Amino acid sequence: DIQMTQSPSSLSASVGDRVTITCQASQDISNYLNWYQQKPGKAPKLLIYDASNLETGVPSRFSGSGSGTDFTFTISSLQPEDIATYYCQQYDNLSITFGQGTRLEIK
Amino acid sequence: QVQLQESGPGLVKPSQTLSLTCTVSGGSISSGDYYWSWIRQPPGKGLEWIGYIYYSGSTYYNPSLKSRVTISVDTSKNQFSLKLSSVTAADTAVYYCARAGLRSGAVNYWGQGTLVTVSS
């Protein structure tokens, strides 16, 4: 099974800050890496698919990069509505694994 | 606009079988472009993929749950279902049904989730 190591587990930042979250796969997953945002009491929302593609309707301040085993998710300028937990998710050999999540808070 | 809705008991006794159904509207489960998925989230914890089914009936399960999970599909009702046997308190979670793309595995439609509590 492919394991996903996501870091940090929590993060405190100010409005307007650049925020970065990383995800590392235990083996090469090419670009089969997706990123989600989850707000309390809600289902997750897809933000980025195939490592770097912005889902329709998602603000351009969100971006993703990487391939192989190392991936990065970035919010270029943190907004108050971005407070949520973020998850990476890999898809390889018909199996799905999520990262442990990063809880993002406003400083 | 595709919508998914989970239904089933919110309380299950230990050792019994958890059963949930997901009804899909706004799109056909037989479209062939998606995997129909179950994902769960224990209270205060992260997301765990349970498994998914293709409209043809092919299934893929999380190895850690495989011995207890059965996912089935009823294309005539545009529904798919989850059965999880021999449940314990560790299976208490919000259960989501969802749609995942065949190629990317990206889950772009989710149900609202239903809390299932395992307790006597």
Side-chain angles (χ1 to χ4, degrees):
Chain A
D1 299 354
I2 295 177
Q3 307 302 316
M4 303 302 294
T5 303
Q6 186 176 339
S7 62
S9 57
S10 64
L11 177 57
S12 181
S14 301
V15 172
D17 281 355
R18 183 181 183 87
V19 170
T20 299
I21 299 169
T22 63
C23 210
Q24 185 172 59
S26 58
Q27 63 190 69
D28 190 335
I29 56 169
S30 184
N31 67 334
Y32 294 120
L33 193 285
N34 308 306
W35 291 96
Y36 300 85
Q37 176 193 67
Q38 187 180 32
K39 296 185 177 181
K42 299 294 186 182
K45 175 186 175 183
L46 177 66
L47 301 179
I48 303 287
Y49 65 95
D50 291 350
S52 61
N53 293 304
L54 197 66
E55 176 72 348
T56 302
V58 174
S60 59
R61 65 180 179 275
F62 296 101
S63 65
S65 65
S67 67
T69 60
D70 295 302
F71 302 87
T72 300
F73 171 82
T74 300
I75 306 173
S76 61
S77 178
L78 184 66
Q79 299 302 303
E81 61 267 31
D82 300 336
I83 298 314
T85 300
Y86 293 83
Y87 293 93
C88 63
Q89 172 239 323
Q90 70 82 24
Y91 171 66
D92 180 79
N93 196 26
L94 301 173
S95 180
I96 284 176
T97 313
F98 290 93
Q100 302 92 327
T102 296
R103 178 174 290 183
L104 180 54
E105 300 174 337
I106 292 285
K107 190 181 294 181
Chain B
Q1 177 79 349
V2 174
Q3 293 185 317
L4 298 94
Q5 178 67 58
E6 306 89 353
S7 59
L11 181 64
V12 180
K13 289 181 167 51
S15 80
Q16 294 191 342
T17 295
L18 178 159
S19 296
L20 295 173
T21 295
C22 183
T23 301
V24 179
S25 59
S28 173
I29 208 168
S30 302
S31 71
D33 294 327
Y34 305 102
Y35 289 121
W36 302 95
S37 310
W38 288 99
I39 295 162
R40 71 180 183 178
Q41 185 171 35
K45 296 187 178 180
L47 300 164
E48 180 179 34
W49 172 66
I50 298 170
Y52 47 57
I53 190 165
Y54 192 56
Y55 81 96
S56 63
S58 297
T59 53
Y60 307 93
Y61 299 138
N62 185 326
S64 68
L65 298 170
K66 187 175 182 178
S67 63
R68 299 194 292 131
V69 173
T70 302
I71 298 176
S72 58
V73 65
D74 186 336
T75 55
S76 67
K77 295 182 179 179
N78 227 32
Q79 294 177 334
F80 62 106
S81 298
L82 169 70
K83 291 188 184 300
L84 181 65
S85 64
S86 305
V87 298
T88 69
D91 295 309
T92 294
V94 174
Y95 285 76
Y96 295 100
C97 62
R99 189 187 82 171
L102 270 185
R103 187 193 57 77
S104 68
V107 182
N108 58 355
Y109 284 99
W110 299 70
Q112 66 184 20
T114 186
L115 175 63
V116 179
T117 301
V118 179
S119 175
S120 56

